[in-house]
Amino acid sequence: QVVNVGDLEKAFTDGAKVGVKQLFAKKLISETKTKVKILGNGKITIKLSVKECLVSEAAKAKIEKVGGEVISK
């Protein structure tokens, strides 16, 4: 399943922790048992802490540029 950083911007508030359960709760993904990849399409201006997801280099750069973090397993 794929989610863009622009979708994260619309669904979450500054400082939010984003993982599979949170994405499912916001209806950005349809199930919790498959892998999720965050892609760099769209704009992000809020700090997020992203975990449990694969993240493209472009998305990681955008997330970190605004002070967020990508936590790898």
Side-chain angles (χ1 to χ4, degrees):
Q1 298 183 84
V2 173
V3 180
N4 287 299
V5 292
D7 298 325
L8 300 179
E9 169 87 13
K10 293 173 189 168
F12 293 95
T13 57
D14 192 41
K17 293 185 181 345
V18 178
V20 174
K21 289 179 185 174
Q22 292 82 8
L23 292 168
F24 181 75
K26 298 279 186 178
K27 296 184 175 21
L28 293 175
I29 59 173
S30 59
E31 59 181 291
T32 59
K33 294 183 181 177
T34 59
K35 291 184 180 181
V36 176
K37 184 158 189 175
I38 308 297
L39 299 180
N41 293 335
K43 179 179 166 187
I44 188 163
T45 60
I46 58 175
K47 285 188 208 179
L48 297 174
S49 179
V50 179
K51 60 181 182 172
E52 303 169 346
C53 300
L54 301 171
V55 181
S56 73
E57 287 299 317
K60 183 177 181 184
K62 286 184 177 186
I63 291 166
E64 291 177 345
K65 184 177 179 180
V66 295
E69 65 180 341
V70 175
I71 303 166
S72 28
K73 292 182 180 180

